[in-house]
Amino acid sequence: MSTKPVLQIALPVPLPGCYDYLYSGSPAPAQGTRVQVPFGRRTLVGVVHGQTQSDYPKLKAVSAVLDDAPVFTAELYALCERAARYYHHPLGEVLNYALPALLRQGGDAQPSQEKRWRLTERGTHVSDEQVSRAPRQHQALQVLREHPKGLSSAMLNALDVASPALNALRDKGWAEHFVVENGPGISKEVLAEPPLAANGEQQQAIHAIQDAEGFTPFLLDGVTGSGKTEVYLQAMAPQLAAGKQVLVLVPEIGLTPQTVQRFRQRFAVPVTTLHSGLTDRERLDNWLAARDGKARIIIGTRSAIFTPLANPGLIIVDEAHDSSLKQQDGFRYHARDLATWRAQTLNIPVVLGSATPALETLQLARDQRFHWLKLSRRATEQQRPGIEILDATLAPPNQPLLPLSLQAIKQCVDNGNQALVFINRRGYAPMILCQDCGWQAECKRCDSFLTWHRAENNLRCHHCDSQQRVPSRCPSCGSSAIHEAGSGTEKLTELLEQSLPVPVIRIDRDATRRKGELDSKLKTIRQGDPAVLVGTQMLAKGHHFPKLALVVILDMDAGFLSADFRGPEQAAQLLLQVAGRSGREGQGRVLLQTRHPDHHLLQLAASGDYPALASALLEERRMAALPPFGHLALFRCEAMTLGKAMAFLQELAQQPVADGVNVLGPVPAPMEKRAGRYRAQLLLQASQRAPLHQTLERLLDAARQSPQSRQCRWHVDVDPIDM
Ligand code: ADP
Ligand code: ZN
Ligand code: ZN
């Protein structure tokens, strides 16, 4: 039997490995090129992984090669391969994920063309008399004279210039419809505005990053308001001047127009963004602009780590502790770790910036594997306000705010300032219950209570989004003594509106659902008139509100008391971030209401001494061999019954494991039932990565072959951040 040339194709299917397809053309498309292939009854877009020979008789052929040249740069392809291996996720799915949607669907890897109308050389010499008898053409001519760089048809339409007139000018050779080259910035100067005068600590940090040669990882550890962004801006200037690109990752919530504006204002080079708010077409154009080197600063959320770069010089990860950098479904990767790998491969510096670094990053700095740059003061010379702890058990019944907090808010707005009340819970009240029999409104599909949304007058589950009517009588005993307990943003807003003479601005997912609503609210806040803001963590990060002089924090206890070992770390990060909104340009105050005023970790966090808190937490982690001192991987499984989920994981737990790997569980998940399914998990722990990954490979094999797997949905999460 004769062998034939075949291509190994990585396909977006949930199985590991590549698929062989016949391809006899020459030369064969290179690695990273997209092809179309038949797969079962479907046609899929896959990516060429390699070439080989095969004598297998039943192979199908590649139906089309979609690219003249690979869409993946070799470096980006290698990053995807490494990520697929590390996260034990199928390569085809990783490659598919890394592509903009239009390329996934088989679209052309070509930038969209912008066409404009402009006058030709001859057209510029035409006199008004020559068109005096054609008023429409006359008008078109006048408009085009005023816009020598040309105008799109849409713009011309808006100016009342219609196509017949333009066509007439074209037919006379006076105007032309041309394709705009979105070329790189013409300006030789990269700076559009002068930098701020950096303070001593900022200067040290800037120089360290500027002087770095080759792969150099930095932790920029700077308290909120210390001017980390200024450090990024100044550190990247020489890279841009040298013609290089800078990739900036920001958290989902951090990609505000305000952030992007700071980069656009400072530099005269093209800045492009990559995030979920773009249309598919915009996303592809921006992606191509980065790949072709036209975009020089690329700012994006986590998936932007997969942007191809023509000439990369520096990678920056802002708010590097933020959990939105970890993808929590499908391909579960951490963009912070990928950023470091990528910088290593590219042999360029990478800066992870944070006011409250992740303990993993902090430990790398302590071990001197990262250069540790510290900014200990606010750049604006404003003192960072301390956090005052208030005992929330002293609040009157059913009152979320202590009298002291309310008084402070009143005083704050009386002084002409703004106050922020932070509560990480939207809706009116998190619970509805019967006073006669104790019945509580629970989600039928989840182990959770329903939140009362009063404006919509319904009960909603914040885990599965299911909704119910609010019962007028208790479904259990028929009593009409149904009451709410606890409070969310909606109720707080109402309360504050009743007791204060100033506007109360609510910012949470419900109050900002409509397009533009968030931006307009933020704008109102920045205008600075006295107001009270009520917000969830949407308000915690990145925002700079000059007039904000008081922050009142409610309900942070759960995090500090959480069974999840990351609970206190994440709670402290959020607490300090929220507190950091206060007094950025004047005196500030922060009040923390807690039912556990004596809690040790909470006190440490409130003291503002994140390093001390981190040391305490790291010590606990060391004793328990938890990250960063041990490595974890989690199998999660859900099924129609808990028994099925547990049995499947039990089968995995019985597999032989490599030396040094501990198997813990299976146990029911913290929320055992969610969206109608029962969930369980199995944890693998090891002090070395190699045996952990070896064991994972074996368990994954067993899982794929297990007949029980067909009754479950399961996945593995390497370095899980919630468990
Ligand atoms: P961070 O990102 O560390 O929270 P920012 O970069 O947002 O801090 O800076 C906080 C404020 O301090 C901003 O208004 C910024 O313009 C200002 N700032 C930063 N560096 C300086 C400096 N060297 N001199 C004066 N103001 C500065
Ligand atoms: Zn009842
Ligand atoms: Zn639910």
Side-chain angles (χ1 to χ4, degrees):
M1 196 171 272
S2 68
T3 64
K4 288 185 180 147
V6 300
L7 291 177
Q8 298 165 306
I9 309 294
L11 291 175
V13 292
L15 290 168
C18 289
Y19 294 79
D20 287 349
Y21 285 89
L22 294 171
Y23 185 82
S24 49
S26 158
Q31 184 178 74
T33 308
R34 289 174 309 147
V35 295
Q36 218 168 37
V37 296
F39 188 80
R41 292 175 176 198
R42 296 180 292 164
T43 302
L44 293 181
V45 174
V47 176
V48 176
H49 178 67
Q51 307 162 25
T52 183
Q53 301 275 328
S54 174
D55 57 10
Y56 185 69
K58 284 195 222 154
L59 287 181
K60 291 183 180 161
V62 169
S63 22
V65 177
L66 298 175
D67 302 306
D68 300 332
V71 279
F72 283 94
T73 58
E75 179 259 328
L76 184 56
Y77 193 91
L79 179 75
C80 291
E81 273 191 293
R82 183 170 174 187
R85 259 197 318 275
Y86 184 86
Y87 292 105
H88 297 268
H89 201 75
L91 176 63
E93 287 199 337
V94 173
L95 292 167
N96 187 61
Y97 176 85
L99 288 175
L102 290 180
L103 295 188
R104 270 179 229 160
Q105 294 154 15
D108 279 345
Q110 292 295 331
S112 57
Q113 289 190 334
E114 189 193 346
K115 283 187 102 179
R116 289 189 203 157
W117 286 92
R118 70 177 165 201
L119 294 181
T120 59
E121 169 66 20
R122 267 177 62 208
T124 59
H125 300 300
V126 175
S127 68
D128 286 347
E129 287 80 62
Q130 284 174 273
V131 284
S132 60
R133 275 184 299 155
R136 292 243 164 233
Q137 289 177 41
H138 186 193
Q139 185 211 359
L141 198 69
Q142 266 174 340
V143 169
L144 291 178
R145 276 183 195 146
E146 283 161 24
H147 297 92
K149 286 186 184 161
L151 285 175
S152 66
S153 299
M155 286 295 287
L156 284 162
N157 259 322
L159 293 171
D160 230 19
V161 176
S163 5
L166 292 164
N167 290 336
L169 293 185
R170 184 189 52 204
D171 294 345
K172 292 177 180 160
W174 295 347
E176 61 186 355
H177 203 194
F178 70 107
V179 174
V180 182
E181 275 294 330
N182 288 321
I186 341 110
S187 140
K188 284 228 170 61
E189 187 60 57
V190 297
L191 278 184
E193 66 170 16
L196 300 176
N199 63 34
E201 286 181 326
Q202 283 178 319
Q203 265 176 26
Q204 272 191 341
I206 293 162
H207 285 143
I209 301 167
Q210 287 181 345
D211 294 345
E213 278 172 31
F215 171 61
T216 323
F218 292 97
L219 165 59
L220 180 61
D221 180 1
V223 299
T224 52
S226 59
K228 292 184 289 296
T229 310
E230 187 60 32
V231 171
Y232 304 148
L233 291 169
Q234 294 195 32
M236 61 203 265
Q239 296 284 354
L240 297 169
K244 304 254 166 132
Q245 294 169 296
V246 180
L247 175 64
V248 186
L249 297 186
V250 295
E252 266 157 17
I253 303 168
L255 193 51
T256 56
Q258 206 187 355
T259 312
V260 180
Q261 198 49 33
R262 281 180 82 175
F263 289 87
R264 290 220 162 105
Q265 232 162 37
R266 176 66 56 89
F267 297 109
V269 302
V271 178
T272 200
T273 58
L274 285 165
H275 55 89
S276 55
L278 301 175
T279 65
D280 287 350
R281 185 67 242 182
E282 288 167 334
R283 211 181 159 83
L284 175 57
D285 279 340
N286 293 356
W287 192 88
L288 291 169
R291 187 192 71 173
D292 299 339
K294 290 176 182 161
R296 302 288 300 287
I297 301 172
I298 297 98
I299 309 176
T301 46
R302 65 170 174 264
S303 63
I305 193 58
F306 292 105
T307 313
L309 299 166
N311 199 4
L314 174 65
I315 301 177
I316 293 166
V317 185
D318 190 25
E319 309 284 6
H321 64 277
D322 196 90
S323 58
S324 75
L325 289 163
K326 169 89 199 263
Q327 171 122 323
Q328 305 271 32
D329 54 17
F331 168 34
R332 294 172 166 78
Y333 66 95
H334 205 308
R336 180 178 70 227
D337 294 331
L338 264 60
T340 308
W341 298 356
R342 203 166 174 197
Q344 192 166 25
T345 311
L346 291 167
N347 202 28
I348 59 173
V350 56
V351 182
L352 309 186
S354 174
T356 50
L359 297 185
E360 282 85 349
T361 315
L362 213 49
Q363 190 57 34
L364 287 167
R366 288 174 156 210
D367 291 343
Q368 297 179 0
R369 291 166 62 192
F370 270 55
H371 295 256
W372 199 344
L373 309 172
K374 292 182 196 172
L375 307 179
S376 56
R377 280 183 288 289
R378 281 202 167 169
T380 47
E381 296 298 323
Q382 278 304 328
Q383 283 275 323
R384 234 173 4 129
I387 299 177
E388 302 164 47
I389 297 181
L390 306 179
D391 185 350
T393 57
L394 304 176
N398 243 335
Q399 284 296 320
L401 282 171
L402 284 162
L404 222 130
S405 305
L406 192 57
Q407 209 181 343
I409 295 170
K410 279 192 175 132
Q411 199 173 29
C412 171
V413 295
D414 278 350
N415 291 343
N417 289 317
Q418 296 174 335
L420 161 65
V421 181
F422 174 85
I423 177 166
N424 219 358
R425 192 189 287 140
R426 59 203 171 85
Y428 193 82
M431 239 180 248
I432 292 281
L433 41 88
C434 167
Q435 278 195 330
D436 287 333
C437 76
W439 168 87
Q440 296 189 12
E442 285 174 34
C443 178
K444 294 189 180 71
R445 309 175 65 218
C446 305
D447 286 329
S448 81
F449 297 115
L450 295 173
T451 301
W452 181 24
H453 286 254
R454 204 165 96 165
E456 288 91 1
N457 198 29
N458 63 14
L459 299 176
R460 264 194 256 162
C461 174
H462 286 183
H463 299 281
C464 72
D465 267 344
S466 63
Q467 299 184 9
Q468 291 177 29
R469 298 251 313 277
V470 185
S472 52
R473 288 183 173 278
C474 171
S476 165
C477 75
S479 157
S480 58
I482 292 186
H483 291 274
E484 91 259 11
S487 14
T489 47
E490 211 182 325
K491 184 168 173 186
L492 260 167
T493 306
E494 184 187 276
L495 256 164
L496 289 162
E497 273 170 347
Q498 283 162 3
S499 27
L500 295 168
V502 298
V504 180
I505 304 170
R506 173 157 70 105
I507 295 201
D508 59 21
R509 238 189 316 140
D510 303 314
T512 56
R513 220 172 276 279
R514 268 172 289 149
K515 199 174 155 72
E517 213 171 5
L518 177 61
D519 282 343
S520 89
K521 287 190 173 190
L522 292 175
K523 216 166 124 195
T524 311
I525 299 171
R526 257 181 254 120
Q527 276 163 2
D529 293 333
V532 181
L533 331 178
V534 174
T536 57
Q537 56 175 323
M538 279 186 87
L539 261 191
K541 298 172 189 175
H543 302 291
H544 185 80
F545 302 129
K547 295 293 274 185
L548 194 67
L550 171 69
V551 170
V552 179
I553 301 167
L554 310 184
D555 217 50
M556 286 279 275
D557 294 352
F560 284 102
L561 302 170
S562 155
D564 181 343
F565 72 90
R566 286 185 208 272
E569 177 191 354
Q570 287 166 350
Q573 288 166 340
L574 186 56
L575 176 65
L576 292 175
Q577 213 140 31
V578 179
R581 298 310 109 204
S582 180
R584 284 169 78 99
E585 290 187 13
Q587 274 298 317
R589 202 175 168 198
V590 183
L591 307 177
L592 170 63
Q593 291 192 186
T594 170
R595 303 186 74 80
H596 303 270
D598 298 326
H599 194 283
H600 170 59
L601 294 175
L602 185 136
Q603 284 182 342
L604 260 185
S607 75
D609 194 350
Y610 185 77
L613 174 83
S615 293
L617 291 174
L618 277 168
E619 209 36 56
E620 287 176 11
R621 300 262 187 106
R622 190 193 298 277
M623 311 272 272
L626 287 167
F629 304 102
H631 307 293
L632 302 178
L634 191 66
F635 274 88
R636 295 196 191 88
C637 174
E638 51 178 58
M640 295 316 284
T641 66
L642 184 63
K644 280 183 181 157
M646 290 287 279
F648 171 68
L649 293 178
Q650 191 61 50
E651 188 186 339
L652 300 189
Q654 278 155 5
Q655 294 290 320
V657 298
D659 273 353
V661 177
N662 297 306
V663 178
L664 307 158
V667 293
M671 183 181 283
E672 190 179 304
K673 186 179 170 198
R674 182 168 176 164
R677 289 172 169 270
Y678 292 84
R679 306 160 355 123
Q681 57 193 36
L682 179 73
L683 185 64
L684 304 189
Q685 183 273 349
S687 57
Q688 300 296 321
R689 287 199 190 275
L692 179 67
H693 283 267
Q694 216 180 317
T695 303
L696 270 177
E697 206 47 58
R698 180 176 294 154
L699 264 58
L700 278 163
D701 269 346
R704 289 188 193 107
Q705 279 161 27
S706 161
Q708 299 197 71
S709 74
R710 267 170 252 141
Q711 304 189 17
C712 313
R713 262 193 242 155
W714 61 273
H715 67 259
V716 65
D717 190 352
V718 178
D719 304 334
I721 62 166
D722 65 326
M723 28 201 302

